[in-house]
């Protein structure tokens, strides 16, 4: 009779594969630096607006218009930042999503289920919290999408500031959540915040995108070909009435992100590596500089917690995000009969879910679109996004600090490289060559200790000799 074999239990949030770890580490380094610049830009905007002597200059710069009028692109500086620079941000998000789907962890449907379900729940619950708050308080339901977005750069900047050694698996989980989050956000913008469509411009945008795709398929190279074409796609998309950032995502998704023989990087990975610093270091901080400028006062902060629209945003970010992401993760593990990695506990997941409540860049963008005709409410919602993000950051900091000693031990184990070959030892446990290298290292150390013991013994014998 054959013995029955037990099916191995699938682990969630387990250690990353070495290629995925390398990619995630590279992406997170850039995003962390970008997050610090984002924080500085937000602080600069708040100071610029709230210092009386500087307030008028902020308004003048934000409202300054430039661009070709005949092409419908004579826009303000703030408008260029929101529609132009953020298209670069969403272009990178599109490449990230494509890479995850064809070459990353999302390629495996079972592995993909966890971050996708968690991200969707992390958007649905905040929207529900906002809606219930405004139904109860008689507020405007238009802003339901404001608290649905996570700002990965801001979240990573918080991690950098508080100095927590969050394990790579949790960092990658946060990054993947944000990628899915960004795609859903752009779908929300395209579907719910598009009013009057210019079908001629929209048709032109699709035609230009088709040319973009054909050139990629034919293997045509050269930035001087794609950059002018990308500007045409963006301009047509903007004039069509669809938010121009959709053009960025569409072009990002078209890039090939699988490697062919002889390639160190796919074209998508190569372009992302080049463009990500521009996105994280320039585009997003400049958008924050011209979007985060809101007047801060005791009465303004008081209204954040008394008006249903602003209270809904704060509760959506702080409560809705944490419950949605944690609940989505737990339910996915429960119904797929998976268990959490033995290195982690469920409070770790809740802490990361709380950190995802930092919803800065895209939340500000959606807030501007949702309440475009009401500058007072727009400023109130911006203040609510800042407040909710700050509260979420403080809550996550407390929760993460409680487990920081454990995180530091996990981080040290993940980074340890005793044989100095550039690959963490934890990834080489099944490689015989690694163990032979380690044996040689320990043999050299043992020989050195024997020599030192003989020297010490000789010195001791000399001391015991009669005077």
């Amino acid at each position: 009779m054959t013995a029955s074999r037990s099916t191995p239990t699938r682990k969630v949030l387990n250690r990353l594969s070495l290629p995925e770890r390398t990619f995630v580490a590279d992406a997170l380094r850039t995003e962390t630096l970008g997050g610090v610049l984002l924080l500085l830009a937000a602080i600069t905007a708040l100071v610029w607006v709230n210092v009386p002597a500087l307030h008028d200059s902020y308004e003048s710069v934000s409202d300054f218009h430039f661009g070709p009028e005949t092409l419908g692109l004579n826009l303000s500086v703030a408008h260029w930042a929101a529609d132009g620079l953020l298209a670069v941000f969403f272009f990178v998000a599109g490449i990230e999503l494509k890479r995850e789907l064809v070459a990353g962890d999302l390629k495996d449907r079972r592995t993909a289920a966890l971050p996708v379900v968690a991200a969707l729940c992390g958007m649905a619950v905040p929207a529900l919290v906002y809606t219930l708050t405004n139904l109860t308080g008689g507020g405007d339901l238009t802003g339901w999408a404001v608290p649905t977005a996570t700002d990965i750069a801001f979240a990573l900047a918080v991690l950098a500031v508080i100095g927590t050694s969050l394990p790579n698996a949790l960092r990658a989980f946060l990054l993947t959540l944000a990628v899915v989050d960004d795609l859903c956000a752009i779908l929300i913008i395209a579907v719910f915040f598009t009013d009057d469509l210019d079908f001629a411009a929209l048709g032109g945008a699709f035609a230009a995108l088709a040319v973009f795709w054909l050139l990629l398929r034919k293997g045509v190279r050269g930035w001087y070909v794609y950059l002018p074409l990308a500007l045409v796609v963006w301009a047509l998309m903007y004039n069509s009435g669809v938010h121009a950032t959709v053009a960025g995502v569409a072009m990002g998704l078209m890039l090939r992100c699988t490697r062919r023989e002889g390639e160190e990087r796919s074209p998508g990975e190569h372009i992302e590596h080049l463009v990500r610093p521009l996105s994280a270091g320039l585009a997003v901080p400049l958008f924050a500089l011209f979007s985060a400028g809101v007047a801060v006062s005791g009465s303004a902060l008081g209204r954040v917690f008394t008006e249903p629209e602003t209270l809904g945003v704060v509760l959506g970010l702080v409560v809705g995000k944490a419950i949605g992401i944690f609940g989505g993760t737990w339910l996915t593990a429960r119904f797929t009969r998976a268990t959490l990695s033995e290195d982690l506990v469920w409070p770790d997941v809740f802490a990361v879910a709380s950190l995802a409540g930092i919803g800065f860049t895209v939340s500000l963008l959606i807030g501007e679109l949702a309440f475009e005709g009401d500058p007072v409410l727009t400023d109130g919602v911006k203040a609510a996004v800042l407040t909710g993000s700050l509260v979420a950051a403080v809550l996550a900091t407390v929760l993460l600090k409680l487990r920081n000693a454990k995180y530091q031990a996990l981080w040290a184990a993940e980074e340890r490289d005793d044989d100095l070959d550039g690959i963490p030892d934890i990834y080489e446990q099944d490689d015989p060559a690694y163990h032979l290298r380690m044996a040689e290292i320990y043999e050299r150390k043992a020989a050195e200790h024997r020599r030192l013991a003989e020297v010490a013994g000789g010195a001791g014998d000399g001391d015991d000799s009669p005077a």
Side-chain angles (χ1 to χ4, degrees):
M1 190 171 76
T2 333
S4 61
R5 296 180 183 176
S6 58
T7 306
T9 306
R10 192 170 66 85
K11 300 285 185 182
V12 296
L13 298 180
N14 213 352
R15 187 184 307 122
L16 302 177
S17 64
L18 185 58
E20 187 70 9
R21 174 189 178 277
T22 304
F23 174 81
V24 167
D26 183 48
L28 292 179
R29 273 193 296 270
T30 306
E31 290 290 353
T32 301
L33 176 61
V36 173
L37 294 175
L38 179 63
L39 281 171
L40 292 174
I43 293 168
T44 302
L46 290 170
V47 171
W48 196 353
V49 165
N50 288 280
V51 173
L54 301 175
H55 178 84
D56 289 344
S57 65
Y58 181 86
E59 295 294 334
S60 298
V61 173
S62 296
D63 292 338
F64 178 77
H65 281 63
F66 67 97
E69 180 70 48
T70 53
L71 298 178
L73 296 175
N74 185 29
L75 311 177
S76 67
V77 169
H79 209 157
W80 276 111
D83 286 80
L85 292 177
L86 277 195
V88 178
F89 166 78
F90 280 109
F91 174 69
V92 173
I95 300 175
E96 285 178 340
L97 182 66
K98 178 70 174 288
R99 197 204 70 86
E100 287 289 341
L101 289 171
V102 301
D105 283 350
L106 297 186
K107 184 178 179 180
D108 181 353
R109 284 183 298 175
R110 292 193 307 167
T111 307
L114 179 70
V116 170
V117 172
L120 292 176
C121 291
M123 298 185 80
V125 176
L128 181 61
V129 168
Y130 177 93
T131 302
L132 291 176
T133 303
N134 280 270
L135 284 174
T136 305
D140 190 340
L141 299 180
T142 311
W144 63 271
V146 175
T148 60
T150 294
D151 194 309
I152 183 64
F154 213 144
L156 292 173
V158 170
L159 288 179
V161 169
I162 66 177
T164 183
S165 303
L166 198 64
N168 282 320
L170 287 177
R171 288 175 182 264
F173 178 60
L174 185 61
L175 180 62
T176 309
L177 273 176
V179 170
V180 178
D181 202 303
D182 288 339
L183 177 70
C184 293
I186 204 69
L187 289 174
I188 288 172
I189 290 170
V191 173
F192 295 99
F193 297 101
T194 297
D195 297 325
D196 299 325
L197 282 176
D198 183 328
F199 288 100
L202 186 60
F206 281 127
L209 282 170
V211 172
F212 189 88
W213 180 77
L214 284 171
L215 291 174
L216 290 172
R217 291 276 296 192
K218 295 292 183 182
V220 176
R221 298 191 176 188
W223 64 268
Y224 47 83
V225 174
Y226 291 102
L227 183 57
L229 182 57
L231 292 174
V232 170
V233 172
W234 176 86
L236 287 168
M237 191 69 74
Y238 174 82
N239 281 290
S240 73
V242 177
H243 200 270
T245 50
V246 174
V249 172
M251 288 184 282
L253 288 172
M254 288 181 181
L255 292 174
R256 176 170 61 82
C257 292
T258 50
R259 299 178 191 179
R260 291 176 180 168
E261 190 175 351
E263 288 184 339
E264 289 186 9
R265 284 178 174 168
S266 67
E269 290 172 318
H270 176 67
I271 292 171
E272 181 186 11
H273 182 73
L274 294 175
V275 179
R276 184 188 286 276
L278 175 64
S279 168
L282 181 67
V284 174
L286 280 178
F287 168 76
L289 180 64
F290 293 108
S291 289
V294 291
V296 177
S297 65
S299 59
L301 291 176
R303 286 196 299 274
V304 166
F305 295 98
T306 55
E307 296 181 359
E309 294 87 357
T310 50
L311 180 60
V313 170
V314 174
L315 292 177
L317 289 172
V318 178
V319 179
K321 273 287 181 184
I323 293 175
I325 292 172
F326 179 81
T329 306
W330 186 86
L331 287 172
T332 303
R334 174 73 178 79
F335 287 105
T336 57
R337 298 182 181 179
T339 59
L340 195 64
S341 169
E342 58 271 8
D343 293 332
L344 303 173
V345 292
W346 283 109
D348 296 325
V349 180
F350 187 81
V352 171
S354 301
L355 189 64
I358 300 173
F360 190 73
T361 306
V362 180
S363 290
L364 289 175
L365 174 62
I366 295 176
E368 289 180 354
L369 295 172
F371 301 106
E372 193 171 5
D374 190 339
V376 175
L377 194 48
T378 299
D379 283 350
V381 167
K382 286 183 180 180
V385 170
L386 294 171
T387 304
S389 298
L390 179 61
V391 173
V394 171
L395 175 62
T397 298
V398 172
L399 295 174
L400 291 170
K401 280 294 186 182
L402 292 175
R403 291 269 294 165
N404 203 37
K406 176 66 174 177
Y407 297 153
Q408 286 175 338
L410 291 173
W411 181 266
E414 288 182 358
E415 297 298 313
R416 188 171 181 173
D417 182 20
D418 287 341
D419 62 341
L420 303 176
D421 67 342
I423 300 173
D425 296 340
I426 205 165
Y427 289 98
E428 298 185 289
Q429 298 304 307
D430 296 328
D431 182 4
Y434 160 75
H435 293 289
L436 291 174
R437 287 195 300 273
M438 290 304 300
E440 186 179 339
I441 290 169
Y442 284 125
E443 284 165 6
R444 285 200 302 268
K445 288 182 178 179
E448 178 65 14
H449 282 295
R450 279 192 291 270
R451 186 187 68 78
L452 292 173
E454 289 171 3
V455 171
D461 292 341
D463 291 342
D464 290 341
S465 60

